[in-house]
């Protein structure tokens, strides 16, 4: 997988800031985990566009990722991008910013941190979280 073109453009926020933005600032949550991960549990009202697919050969980057996001969102939309732990979402943010999306932030720690902060309800963490082997 190619290295991000300009990782310095990515702003990473913690889950508490992400929750505040979702609750009060017109941001939407873009979950870039696989469909399988998303279906297990996700942030309420989140959009799902996988950055990578799980295949028999391992994880493969979604070649239509930006186009699929463009079909759901405007480049001026305010998006919080999250995955399981922050690796895929960081790379997704770089691609979206390189594609001229204007208001993109990455969730540090991803959905795992969201669950650990207690934002996913009262189900046990092992029912909500998935293991993740992808790191930036």
């Amino acid at each position: 997988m190619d290295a991000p073109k300009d990782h310095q453009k990515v702003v990473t926020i913690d889950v508490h800031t992400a929750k505040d933005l979702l609750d009060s600032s017109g941001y939407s949550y873009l979950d870039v985990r696989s469909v399988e991960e998303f279906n297990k549990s996700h942030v309420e009202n989140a959009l799902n566009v996988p950055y990578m697919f799980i295949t028999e050969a391992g994880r493969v980057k979604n070649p239509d990722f930006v186009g699929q996001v463009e079909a759901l969102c405007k480049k001026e939309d305010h998006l919080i991008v999250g995955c399981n732990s922050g690796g895929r979402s960081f790379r997704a943010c770089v691609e979206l910013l390189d594609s001229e999306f204007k208001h993109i932030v990455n969730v540090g720690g991803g959905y795992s941190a969201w669950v650990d902060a207690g934002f996913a309800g009262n189900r046990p963490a092992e029912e909500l979280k998935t293991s993740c082997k992808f790191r930036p």
Side-chain angles (χ1 to χ4, degrees):
M1 184 179 311
D2 294 336
K5 292 178 185 161
D6 188 358
H7 67 276
Q8 295 176 356
K9 294 189 293 185
V10 177
V11 173
T12 298
I13 60 175
D14 65 34
V15 293
H16 296 279
T17 302
K19 184 163 184 353
D20 288 345
L21 289 173
L22 288 171
D23 289 345
S24 63
S25 297
Y27 273 78
S28 296
Y29 193 98
L30 176 64
D31 191 320
V32 299
R33 296 178 299 157
S34 69
V35 172
E36 295 86 357
E37 291 171 296
F38 183 82
N39 286 342
K40 184 170 186 176
S41 182
H42 55 268
V43 173
E44 187 176 351
N45 298 318
L47 303 169
N48 180 228
V49 178
Y51 184 71
M52 301 185 92
F53 297 119
I54 299 171
T55 69
E56 290 181 14
R59 291 183 190 241
V60 176
K61 187 183 170 305
N62 176 357
D64 300 319
F65 172 72
V66 172
Q68 291 172 353
V69 175
E70 288 174 334
L72 296 172
C73 305
K74 297 181 181 97
K75 291 191 176 188
E76 297 79 26
D77 288 350
H78 291 73
L79 299 174
I80 297 169
V81 182
C83 63
N84 190 53
S85 62
R88 287 173 284 175
S89 59
F90 181 87
R91 290 179 180 271
C93 286
V94 169
E95 281 199 36
L96 293 170
L97 289 166
D98 286 346
S99 297
E100 300 182 0
F101 278 81
K102 309 287 185 229
H103 309 285
I104 302 294
V105 294
N106 180 45
V107 179
Y111 190 69
S112 289
W114 187 269
V115 171
D116 291 343
F119 298 150
N122 58 6
R123 289 176 32 210
E126 59 272 9
E127 288 183 21
L128 301 169
K129 294 186 338 184
T130 56
S131 62
C132 180
K133 295 179 182 163
F134 180 83
R135 298 287 184 260

